[in-house]
Amino acid sequence: MARKNHSGRGQRRRRPQRHKDVLHAQGGHRTGAFRCVSCRLDVSADAPGTAHRNHCPNCLASLHVDRKIPGDRAAECRGRMEALGMSVRDDGEWMIIHQCASCGELSANRIAGDDTPLALIRLALRPLTDPMHARRALLSL
């Protein structure tokens, strides 16, 4: 259902986040922070716009920790996930496409509200600036 924003243009409603029955640590809630494997930034576990932070808001790198359900932390690989590019859902939500450097698995992850806008734009524009990057991404599928 479309609704009007103050500029008069139609806008789709955001899809609500699905509830996931996932235990993150003792006590059933995710605690603490993590250090980014790429830029070494200390990252808070709380992420605006998503219930399961899985990437660094500064450089967008991640670790291969989820198997099937976001937040399940059941993957055995634990490899470094490199941000390859962006995708956009039908409702306009941006997704980061990651590929594991160890096993090659691809995953799509929601952006978080505190992700660095410049890093997101650079990632979205990467296929336009490097045609070989787009070719490598397609060949990996």
Side-chain angles (χ1 to χ4, degrees):
M1 168 132 220
R3 63 180 172 162
K4 298 281 183 180
N5 61 16
H6 30 297
S7 66
R9 291 178 279 156
Q11 181 179 6
R12 289 189 178 194
R13 281 190 192 177
R14 286 190 63 127
R15 179 177 18 170
Q17 177 130 6
R18 295 176 288 139
H19 174 73
K20 297 154 191 107
D21 293 322
V22 179
L23 298 178
H24 290 287
Q26 293 178 2
H29 294 92
R30 190 174 189 180
T31 58
F34 64 90
R35 180 163 286 170
C36 176
V37 296
S38 181
C39 70
R40 308 302 292 161
L41 178 73
D42 287 326
V43 179
S44 167
D46 296 325
T50 183
H52 308 286
R53 176 176 302 280
N54 60 354
H55 63 273
C56 173
N58 183 51
C59 69
L60 309 177
S62 183
L63 281 181
H64 190 182
V65 292
D66 294 338
R67 189 178 342 173
K68 294 193 184 253
I69 301 171
D72 68 8
R73 307 304 191 239
E76 296 176 7
C77 178
R78 301 289 193 238
R80 183 183 190 155
M81 299 286 279
E82 297 294 331
L84 285 184
M86 301 292 292
S87 177
V88 180
R89 288 184 174 169
D90 290 338
D91 62 0
E93 181 177 34
W94 284 28
M95 304 291 287
I96 301 171
I97 307 300
H98 284 104
Q99 183 173 31
C100 181
S102 296
C103 70
E105 185 173 322
L106 293 171
S107 69
N109 302 295
R110 304 173 85 149
I111 65 168
D114 62 349
D115 287 345
T116 305
L118 183 57
L120 292 170
I121 297 300
R122 282 182 179 162
L123 187 59
L125 294 176
R126 186 181 292 169
L128 299 175
T129 60
D130 180 9
M132 288 306 294
H133 176 76
R135 178 179 159 86
R136 286 189 302 269
L138 287 173
L139 290 175
S140 69
L141 296 174

